[in-house]
Amino acid sequence: MDQPTDIWEHCLEHAALSDVGLRRANNQDAMSVVIAGSQEAWRQRGHLFMVADGMGAHAAGELASKLAVDAVSLTYFKLSDLPPAEALATAVHEANGQIHGRGQADPEFKGMGTTGTAMLLMPEGAVLAHVGDSRAYRLRGDRLEQLTFDHSLVWEMREAGQLSADVNTDHIPKNIITRSLGPNPTVQVDTEGPFPIAVGDSFLLCSDGLSGPVEDDEMGTILGCMSPDEAVRALVNLGNLRGGPDNITVIVARVVGPLEARENDTQTDDSPPHRTARPVHPALWTVMGVLAMAAAGAAVMQHWPAMAVGLVGAMIAALIALVGRYGGTDDAAHATGRPLGRGPYTACTCRPDGEFVGRIHEIVDELRDAAVEGNWLGDRPKLDAMIDRAKSAETSGNHATAVRECFQAIDFLMGQLKEQSRGDRDTAGPAGDGSNVFD
């Protein structure tokens, strides 16, 4: 689906990237980005972002995650009579039903499941519906907050008071999740928000292929130093350099100005806002009809006072119906009476400093040495120029620029490595030898 990003590019930057990682044969992650086609569409339903991480043998996990993002993206926008948070949660429930039904119908897919983290960016803030251990974060200034709760064994044990925050959890399997879409006919869906949106905020959605090997403060620092397009590549590269044990999916959205669409000639912001019609309780229509019929009967019998009472009553009922249907505040602009969920669940300060730059420099040096030793560095002067700019920025105390230059060097080197790997596969034949530089 082509997204009308040009009308938002002056105020909303976003990028998404999904990578198979270094240890998996196929990518069981899926993602979806649906950008509103107009200012009014955004007011009513917002921008939708979603990440899903599938689980299951063979192609089952891949199918489950795709069903999740497709079902949520389609169902949410069909539920226009429901407030956005309720519609999003209902869409996630619908996705669960579709995945479960598909698993029950085919033994090959039985028991398949997926995580699902969906986020709306709306006038009242960011609203989320969430199942599993994929995550959503908000970066504001140098503070990164995790907006979702991990439905994992470790987090559930902490929530139940069985683990304190300072207890080492290395002995507890990190890949055991307690809730997912698909295995069961019903599922509990967490809803969170609305979290206020301010100019400068960045939102990150990711699968655990990123949050496993990369720490929160590292993610936040990269987000704060780079554009969304640069950040998603840097995060995926860092996840792979830490072993790439799982598929990695990342979506970044950054608010760079007031969220006001640049409309085309046929749709301008000067037009009055459209009100979405809300359903009116049937009893009100019944009362209005009865009063109108009573007034008509009174008129036939020439009981003028009774006719007047009936007409006035019918007009009052009609007025109440019209106000209820079109008046007041739009559902999309009216947040729930109280915040949903209990997020944010974690927070950390993340800013670029000499220690962080030094760690990234070490990665660059190790990767460059591997490239030289393996003879897969194609443009040494270009790489040296990037490294020189990074060192110069670090020397002058501009750590943000140093981080950005280091990750550009890493991205360049990873590109060189992929070219070399493709060449090796072409030479060795379809099977190759199964080795890679990070083993």
Side-chain angles (χ1 to χ4, degrees):
M1 181 187 304
D2 293 333
Q3 300 299 331
T5 56
D6 55 323
I7 65 173
W8 299 98
E9 61 188 2
H10 63 290
C11 59
L12 179 69
E13 299 175 350
H14 63 91
L17 185 61
S18 188
D19 189 86
V20 69
L22 300 180
R23 307 293 180 183
R24 297 295 178 92
N26 63 322
N27 193 346
Q28 295 190 329
D29 286 0
M31 61 184 179
S32 177
V33 175
V34 183
I35 301 300
S38 68
Q39 183 74 17
E40 181 58 22
W42 174 70
R43 288 192 189 105
Q44 298 297 329
R45 307 313 280 175
H47 305 306
L48 172 64
F49 305 86
M50 183 171 179
V51 166
D53 179 359
M55 300 158 287
H58 307 296
E62 191 172 351
L63 175 62
S65 63
K66 185 178 188 306
L67 285 172
V69 298
D70 288 349
V72 170
S73 299
L74 290 173
T75 306
Y76 168 70
F77 290 100
K78 288 181 180 179
L79 300 174
S80 57
D81 286 342
L82 296 179
E86 184 179 346
L88 188 62
T90 302
V92 175
H93 282 291
E94 171 65 21
N96 180 77
Q98 290 188 23
I99 298 166
H100 181 74
R102 186 65 178 272
Q104 294 295 106
D106 190 335
E108 185 179 357
F109 299 136
K110 187 174 179 61
M112 69 178 178
T114 181
T115 68
T117 301
M119 178 181 73
L120 303 172
L121 294 185
M122 304 202 63
E124 64 265 36
V127 176
L128 296 112
H130 167 70
V131 175
D133 65 348
S134 294
R135 292 179 176 179
Y137 296 88
R138 179 183 63 182
L139 177 70
R140 175 169 292 179
D142 59 7
R143 180 180 173 85
L144 184 74
E145 298 172 323
Q146 183 175 336
L147 306 181
T148 51
F149 181 92
D150 283 9
H151 300 132
S152 67
L153 181 59
V154 171
W155 278 55
E156 298 285 5
M157 289 177 69
R158 283 179 175 160
E159 178 73 6
Q162 298 175 6
L163 288 174
S164 60
D166 57 349
V167 170
N168 189 308
T169 58
D170 290 343
H171 63 288
I172 301 175
K174 301 297 190 296
N175 60 344
I176 297 180
I177 64 173
T178 57
R179 203 186 301 178
S180 62
L181 301 175
N184 300 302
T186 61
V187 69
Q188 181 179 347
V189 179
D190 285 359
T191 50
E192 304 282 352
F195 300 100
I197 299 172
V199 173
D201 285 351
S202 292
F203 293 87
L204 166 67
L205 273 64
C206 66
S207 62
D208 69 335
L210 178 69
S211 59
V214 181
E215 298 294 332
D216 285 8
D217 63 326
E218 295 176 315
M219 287 190 271
T221 300
I222 291 168
L223 278 181
C225 294
M226 311 179 79
S227 70
D229 185 62
E230 294 169 332
V232 296
R233 296 201 309 272
L235 291 166
V236 167
N237 284 333
L238 186 56
N240 278 327
L241 287 166
R242 296 275 172 81
D246 200 353
N247 309 141
I248 306 170
T249 298
V250 185
I251 299 175
V252 174
R254 176 172 298 157
V255 180
V256 295
L259 289 173
E260 297 175 357
R262 183 184 293 119
E263 303 285 4
N264 57 36
D265 292 337
T266 61
Q267 209 171 15
T268 67
D269 284 332
D270 293 333
S271 59
H274 169 71
R275 296 289 187 190
T276 298
R278 292 185 288 274
V280 176
H281 197 285
L284 193 57
W285 295 121
T286 301
V287 169
M288 183 171 58
V290 169
L291 289 171
M293 291 176 62
V300 170
M301 299 178 66
Q302 297 185 346
H303 291 305
W304 307 120
M307 181 196 74
V309 170
L311 283 177
V312 170
M315 291 174 62
I316 292 174
L319 181 61
I320 293 173
L322 288 172
V323 170
R325 188 166 177 81
Y326 296 104
T329 304
D330 291 345
D331 282 337
H334 177 67
T336 55
R338 56 182 177 79
L340 301 167
R342 295 177 290 114
Y345 293 91
T346 69
C348 65
T349 300
C350 39
R351 60 173 66 94
D353 55 22
E355 190 273 335
F356 183 79
V357 173
R359 274 189 282 148
I360 306 305
H361 262 309
E362 288 181 6
I363 295 175
V364 174
D365 292 340
E366 291 174 6
L367 198 54
R368 178 188 58 190
D369 292 345
V372 172
E373 183 179 346
N375 196 29
W376 47 265
L377 179 55
D379 192 343
R380 180 68 177 268
K382 183 175 182 179
L383 175 63
D384 289 342
M386 294 177 184
I387 295 174
D388 288 343
R389 289 195 297 269
K391 289 181 177 178
S392 176
E394 183 180 9
T395 301
S396 64
N398 191 342
H399 296 124
T401 299
V403 169
R404 185 169 178 268
E405 292 291 346
C406 281
F407 274 105
Q408 285 186 343
I410 289 172
D411 192 52
F412 172 75
L413 284 163
M414 294 294 281
Q416 296 280 297
L417 174 59
K418 289 177 182 177
E419 288 294 327
Q420 175 67 20
S421 299
R422 278 193 288 267
D424 289 345
R425 285 196 297 270
D426 292 341
T427 302
D433 64 1
S435 65
N436 69 69
V437 72
F438 302 109
D439 281 338

